[in-house]
Amino acid sequence: MRLLRQMAAVAVLFFILTSSALAQFNEPEIQKVPHDERQQFLNRFEEIKWTGQGLYQETTIDKQKTPEVRARLQAEYGDPTQTLEDLINSDNFRPAEAIQFEYWFTVDDSIPMMVLDIDGPFGNGLVYGGASRYIDLMPQIKRTLSQKLMSVDSLSPFQDYFYSPEREQWFDVRYQNGEFVTKEIDSPEGMTINFRYQ
């Protein structure tokens, strides 16, 4: 009888350990922050210390041209959380802060993460930022995001504006009718770069 109780206790302990180990390897749930919920996201995570640590390990998505990554993000998550149009007319905006797009995410409803372009349509992959307190979870989150994006069957069309301070040039960046196009343009209406630093 005593042996049976010991065996039952070992079985229960094994079940608990196995369940908790499996829980650690569950695929994280990645939800995009919609454009109109940006302020709530910023308020909720205002105490977060942002870092790229835990997100440096290269995945397949890091080797893809950024316009393709953007089309994959569009297919999987829809429109970006924020684009250059949202930033350019804000107080204290500087040309060096020009981005093409940003996607903000909440992972498992509690972990904040952001991804954005490196150099508009001219780079590869993305820049990643996550909460420093979750550094140990970031590699799995990044792998999951990469797998989701690389499993997209059909790229979705998009159209963004990008300003390159190095080139001092505006670009219309898009994917339409199965083609990527990056076209030099004049400053779009309502989007002026102010070079005066005060």
Side-chain angles (χ1 to χ4, degrees), residues 27 36 112:
E27 183 176 285
D36 61 354

Side-chain angles (χ1 to χ4, degrees), residues 82 84-94 97 192 194:
Q82 187 161 265
L84 182 54
E85 289 179 81
D86 298 307
L87 299 174
I88 198 164
N89 295 318
S90 64
D91 295 339
N92 303 318
F93 175 80
R94 297 290 179 257
E97 299 168 342
T192 305
N194 181 2

Side-chain angles (χ1 to χ4, degrees), residues 105-125:
F105 299 102
T106 304
V107 182
D108 291 339
D109 200 36
S110 60
I111 303 170
M113 183 176 77
M114 295 184 182
V115 299
L116 55 142
D117 61 278
I118 298 168
D119 185 23
F122 304 107
N124 290 346

Side-chain angles (χ1 to χ4, degrees), residues 9 17 29-30 33-34 39 47 69 76 84 96 155 175 177 188:
L17 291 174
E29 183 182 345
I30 303 173
V33 177
Q39 195 55 54
E47 301 299 323
V69 178
E76 183 69 24
L84 182 54
L155 303 180
Y175 176 69
N177 302 318

